Amino acid sequence: MADASGAAHSGAPDIDTPRRSGLTRAEAARLAATEACRAETCSPWEASPLGLVPWLIWRALFKGFRPAWLIASLAVSAWFGAHVVIESGGIRAMTRTEPGLEARIQSSLAASVPVGEDARSYWIARMNEALDGDARRRADLDRFRAWATIGPDLIGRDRLALDYLAGPDGAAALDARLTAGPPWVRRDRLARGYRELIESEQARRLDPPQLVLAPDGLMARQAAAQFHWSIAAHSADAFFSGRQSGQFELTMVPGLVAAPGGDTRLYGGVRQLYMQACALDALIEGCETGIIPPQAFDPVRYALAALEAGMVDLNLPDSAVHDGAQVLQAAREAGRLQPALEAQLQDWVAAILTPAEISAALETAGLRPDYAFSAPTQAADGLAGQLQRRSGAEAAALSRLLDDLARIRRASSVMTAIRVVSSIGQLNQADYLVRISNTAGDRLLALHLALGEGVYHLLDSADSTPQPTARSVNLAWAGLLSAAIVVFLTLLRVASAPDVRRASRMAALDAWLSRLFLGRKT
């Protein structure tokens, strides 16, 4: 017994302690030393007052630091969190929801109707104007279809749904019954009624189906103009889809050319490229043949043709470069570029696509202009990727513009993309149009016609809630983060085995200081 007792108080750990308790040998030694130190320490009742006071201070610090840290962190977070709420206008302002983009589109179109004018009459008048067409009295069915698609938004979808669902009692009685019920019941019923109207058998026979709301006289005018329009539309579709590689006269499409009088003929990218190359240097072998039409040299046209022909390798898929450059070239020839965008194109040409570099790349490709002009599809393979422009700020900005125009073209149509280019004055506006087209779809051209520059305000939030200061927000988050650290450390300690906790260095320090302040047993 004496040997066993001596071993228990000797401070030397048993050789089997690490295996038995899951501690390392160092932790086992520290645990044994800590327990031996506590066994030698006097109780607080036996300690002198001079030792009891510092021991109480130490225990208050040792045991109360973590709870005090947690309470202080939560207090800081609550205090500055309240400041964030107050500076943001209160809970009511913070929880107020803003209408989505679709709701803003519908409300903006409804607000575009002139004050005092009936929305349906205004809508019909705009479609009649489109059928009146240009100076040659050719109906502009692109503009007609654009106005047709927003008819329900101008008139009001709820109003149309009430008229469609109204029974013998009339729309007013139905509206009163629905208004008396829960708001979501009214909203769902009207939305379902509008869908039934637009998806009815009569509407499905029309293109677009919103024409189900149009009068018969207007539909007769549209049917009469359809034949002549289809000729121009078929030619345009064949050219821009690549099925036809000759030339296309932009004035064939009514309303497409904004500034008539210039050269409005479009050629494919390869043909346009070699026409400009011969215009720059008529001494190139193959330019003397009569197959290549003469054309005034234009460095921007030359650069856009190189992009469309696939000659420039940007950090962008080839299809996006081709589609975006084709839209930009067509919009420019149609006189639809704003001066700011034209100046930006000229800057890009001077920086990354100079005529000298393009001509040098054509010389490297080694294709005769007359052969390339005769077989543009085969020539495109030899021109692909001759100019590498994958880096640089100017190349990145050009890539973004071409990508945005290509995405607008895919989301709507090539004709819509060409027309809406006229509203792009700043590069970020092309990105705005992409984001709007993702929601508006085939209504993009109509938004351009009805709202003008106001189309870019659709992405602006109407939220006027004041914003909290950065100091309040940062300190509130700092308090929460500090509290989270305390909770994590506490959970980590609770999850540890009791022997591991007692074998910690802090436990050893506590045992040593307690023996120092309270004294050793005699």
Side-chain angles (χ1 to χ4, degrees):
M1 293 296 292
D3 293 342
S5 176
H9 295 281
S10 64
D14 188 357
I15 192 169
D16 293 333
T17 299
R19 182 180 65 245
R20 190 163 24 89
S21 60
L23 302 176
T24 65
R25 190 170 296 277
E27 288 175 337
R30 190 163 51 246
L31 175 60
T34 299
E35 291 178 343
C37 187
R38 291 191 186 281
E40 298 173 352
T41 303
C42 294
S43 69
W45 305 107
E46 301 172 344
S48 66
L50 294 177
L52 185 61
V53 172
W55 178 80
L56 289 174
I57 296 174
W58 160 249
R59 294 294 290 182
L61 181 65
F62 179 64
K63 293 294 186 181
F65 176 73
R66 192 170 295 174
W69 181 7
L70 178 62
I71 293 172
S73 300
L74 294 176
V76 169
S77 179
W79 175 262
F80 288 101
H83 276 264
V84 170
V85 174
I86 294 172
E87 293 168 3
S88 299
I91 295 178
R92 183 185 298 274
M94 295 181 67
T95 57
R96 183 174 63 244
T97 58
E98 293 298 325
L101 180 56
E102 176 61 35
R104 293 201 293 272
I105 288 174
Q106 295 181 23
S107 61
S108 297
L109 288 174
S112 68
V113 179
V115 178
E117 187 169 351
D118 179 67
R120 188 185 293 268
S121 300
Y122 174 78
W123 176 54
I124 294 173
R126 300 289 80 73
M127 289 191 290
N128 273 315
E129 288 178 358
L131 292 177
D132 291 340
D134 55 12
R136 297 163 59 184
R137 307 296 292 177
R138 298 179 304 167
D140 186 352
L141 290 193
D142 273 343
R143 186 153 56 101
F144 175 85
R145 285 172 51 84
W147 281 107
T149 57
I150 63 170
D153 299 319
L154 294 173
I155 300 170
R157 299 189 180 192
D158 289 354
R159 172 183 166 184
L160 294 173
L162 287 171
D163 293 340
Y164 177 75
L165 297 172
D169 296 336
L174 175 61
D175 188 25
R177 289 199 303 271
L178 293 176
T179 304
W184 60 86
V185 174
R186 181 181 188 275
R187 183 172 58 251
D188 293 345
R189 185 69 185 97
L190 294 180
R192 189 164 62 251
Y194 174 73
R195 287 195 302 270
E196 292 174 1
L197 171 63
I198 295 301
E199 296 173 2
S200 62
E201 183 178 354
Q202 180 184 1
R204 285 199 299 267
R205 293 197 298 266
L206 301 173
D207 184 26
Q210 290 85 351
L211 286 173
V212 70
L213 309 172
D216 294 338
L218 185 69
M219 296 300 299
R221 289 193 64 193
Q222 187 259 350
Q226 189 67 44
F227 174 74
H228 296 286
W229 172 264
S230 63
I231 297 174
H234 177 76
S235 299
D237 182 65
F239 178 82
F240 287 106
S241 64
R243 297 196 308 270
Q244 171 187 325
S245 58
Q247 66 180 33
F248 178 69
E249 177 56 56
L250 292 172
T251 55
M252 286 184 62
V253 181
L256 185 61
V257 177
D263 186 1
T264 54
R265 287 172 297 175
L266 275 186
Y267 297 86
V270 174
R271 288 183 168 174
Q272 184 69 79
L273 180 65
Y274 279 98
M275 288 172 62
Q276 285 293 295
C278 290
L280 178 62
D281 185 3
L283 298 179
I284 299 176
E285 184 180 2
C287 291
E288 72 279 0
T289 60
I291 191 174
I292 300 178
Q295 190 179 54
F297 177 73
D298 184 341
V300 175
R301 183 184 293 160
Y302 198 17
L304 291 177
L307 290 166
E308 186 181 346
M311 189 176 184
V312 184
D313 187 14
L314 296 173
N315 195 17
L316 202 65
D318 294 339
S319 59
V321 176
H322 172 273
D323 292 348
Q326 192 176 52
V327 168
L328 202 55
Q329 185 83 282
R332 188 170 183 269
E333 301 297 344
R336 289 188 170 272
L337 258 61
Q338 292 192 19
L341 185 56
E342 176 71 25
Q344 181 63 74
L345 290 177
Q346 293 175 2
D347 292 342
W348 284 336
V349 168
I352 58 175
L353 288 175
T354 63
E357 292 174 326
I358 298 174
S359 297
L362 289 179
E363 184 177 355
T364 302
L367 297 176
R368 282 175 57 98
D370 49 351
Y371 294 165
F373 194 90
S374 302
T377 303
Q378 292 76 6
D381 296 334
L383 296 174
Q386 289 289 330
L387 292 172
Q388 298 292 325
R389 296 293 186 271
R390 284 182 167 269
S391 60
E394 293 84 0
L398 176 60
S399 298
R400 286 195 299 270
L401 176 62
L402 296 179
D403 186 42
D404 289 340
L405 294 178
R407 291 165 66 185
I408 293 172
R409 175 177 177 170
R410 290 194 297 268
S412 51
S413 68
V414 63
M415 290 301 166
T416 296
I418 293 172
R419 289 174 184 251
V420 300
V421 167
S422 60
S423 68
I424 299 175
Q426 303 175 12
L427 297 181
N428 62 336
Q429 291 179 337
D431 177 65
Y432 287 0
L433 289 178
V434 171
R435 294 159 61 188
I436 293 170
S437 67
N438 292 334
T439 300
D442 57 0
R443 294 174 295 171
L444 181 62
L445 178 57
L447 290 171
H448 168 68
L449 296 173
L451 303 181
E453 292 294 326
V455 69
Y456 298 111
H457 299 307
L458 293 172
L459 296 176
D460 297 338
S461 174
D463 186 14
S464 59
T465 303
Q467 298 299 315
T469 61
R471 175 177 177 271
S472 298
V473 174
N474 293 338
L475 289 175
W477 279 112
L480 287 176
L481 179 60
S482 177
I485 292 174
V486 178
V487 172
F488 172 74
L489 293 177
T490 302
L491 293 176
L492 189 64
R493 179 175 176 80
V494 170
S496 303
D499 284 347
V500 175
R501 294 199 298 269
R502 290 199 303 270
S504 67
R505 291 181 175 83
M506 288 301 298
L509 176 63
D510 177 51
W512 182 80
L513 289 176
S514 296
R515 188 177 64 179
L516 176 66
F517 293 141
L518 298 178
R520 189 189 299 265
K521 289 182 178 179
T522 58

